[in-house]
Amino acid sequence: MHQSIPAAFAAREFAEVGGLMSYGSDIADAYRQVGIYTGRILKGSKPADLPVMQASKFELIINAQTARTLGLTVPQSLLATADELIE
């Protein structure tokens, strides 16, 4: 922000504290998947026999206040696809 350089981040926390935007996996969903995977192992599945899991839900967070501060106009099409808009 100090250098007026817009930046995108992988974690939503950066957008929440002033970053322009974030796009990355939903951490809550990732923890849910870890729980399911762990449950399968505790029920007797061999870890080597389980499929590799990857993120299935991603979220786009845009900080509109930061965009205004930087003098940027975020395209309406991008705003429409955002999961959350921080005013």
Side-chain angles (χ1 to χ4, degrees):
M1 184 70 95
H2 178 69
Q3 299 294 326
S4 297
I5 299 172
F9 302 93
R12 73 176 290 126
E13 291 80 14
F14 289 101
E16 290 173 347
V17 297
L20 178 60
M21 66 177 61
S22 69
Y23 182 74
S25 60
D26 181 348
I27 297 300
D29 185 59
Y31 286 142
R32 183 188 61 76
Q33 286 185 5
V34 167
I36 292 169
Y37 210 73
T38 302
R40 291 175 70 182
I41 292 169
L42 292 174
K43 289 179 182 175
S45 296
K46 289 184 178 181
D49 295 337
L50 295 174
V52 173
M53 297 181 76
Q54 62 184 20
S56 60
K57 184 178 179 188
F58 295 86
E59 59 184 3
L60 172 64
I61 312 298
I62 299 174
N63 190 322
Q65 181 179 6
T66 299
R68 283 191 297 274
T69 300
L70 294 173
L72 300 172
T73 302
V74 180
Q76 190 62 36
S77 59
L78 189 58
L79 292 173
T81 61
D83 295 295
E84 185 177 336
L85 183 62
I86 299 171
E87 290 292 334

